Amino acid sequence: TSVIEKEDLSGERSSLFQMKAPSWYDSMVENIRKENFQQVPDRSNMVFIPEGRYIVGDAKGGTTSPISEKRMSSFYIDSTEVSCSQYARFLVMTGHRKPRHWKQATPPEGTGSVPVTGVNFFDAKLYALWAGKDLPTEWEWESAARGQEGRI
């Protein structure tokens, strides 16, 4: 069984936050790779975030990291969440399980353009693998949201 490294609160990959993948995860990863289901990343709905220094963290502290400046490499991030229609295409192509609240591998009527819900971390990782992408780290997400001006 795979062990997935999950980012810790500092945005770094950490063995302290490893999670054991469910029993079905490894076979789905193998299937996506073997069957060549991986897509060429569609960057038409992505935003380029340039390399640079970004202000991240929270002045209040608490469970988040304190405000600091972090140097980030350039990356792309989706400008919107994954829609139900996009996720349904992944389900049809890979045979992955549907969200519990869906009656079939197609989204409930009228929800095709809304963000998909009812997926867990491992479902999201598989979708990202299939889409030729990866899930953003905490720092990537925050850097994209704040921009180099440090908004928020």
Side-chain angles (χ1 to χ4, degrees):
T1 303
S2 288
V3 173
I4 303 295
E5 286 188 353
K6 187 174 180 187
E7 67 189 77
D8 63 18
L9 293 176
S10 70
E12 302 296 325
R13 302 285 177 185
S14 171
S15 59
L16 297 175
F17 287 86
Q18 289 183 345
M19 299 184 308
K20 185 176 179 184
S23 57
W24 51 262
Y25 183 79
D26 285 338
S27 62
M28 282 302 300
V29 168
E30 184 179 321
N31 188 44
I32 288 170
R33 290 184 175 144
K34 181 179 80 175
E35 299 297 329
N36 203 23
F37 285 141
Q38 285 178 282
Q39 307 294 298
V40 173
D42 176 7
R43 293 201 169 137
S44 64
N45 191 36
M46 297 184 86
V47 177
F48 178 74
I49 308 299
E51 178 181 334
R53 295 192 176 281
Y54 291 84
I55 296 171
V56 294
D58 183 6
K60 296 176 187 172
T63 60
T64 61
S65 300
I67 288 186
S68 63
E69 188 173 82
K70 178 131 176 109
R71 182 154 188 72
M72 299 293 297
S73 298
S74 60
F75 61 96
Y76 283 88
I77 190 168
D78 286 339
S79 61
T80 61
E81 297 89 346
V82 174
S83 72
C84 287
S85 293
Q86 291 170 311
Y87 198 76
R89 190 168 150 239
F90 157 71
L91 297 179
V92 168
M93 291 189 71
T94 64
H96 187 55
R97 64 185 185 164
K98 62 181 178 49
R100 286 186 181 156
H101 63 284
W102 290 19
K103 291 186 168 99
Q104 51 200 15
T106 56
E109 189 173 334
T111 64
S113 62
V114 301
V116 68
T117 60
V119 298
N120 65 32
F121 174 79
F122 296 100
D123 297 325
K125 285 290 283 185
L126 286 173
Y127 175 86
L129 173 67
W130 171 80
K133 301 175 183 181
D134 198 1
L135 298 179
T137 66
E138 178 184 1
W139 290 146
E140 288 170 336
W141 185 268
E142 190 170 347
S143 298
R146 286 185 174 213
Q148 288 182 311
E149 305 83 29
R151 298 180 298 262
I152 300 180

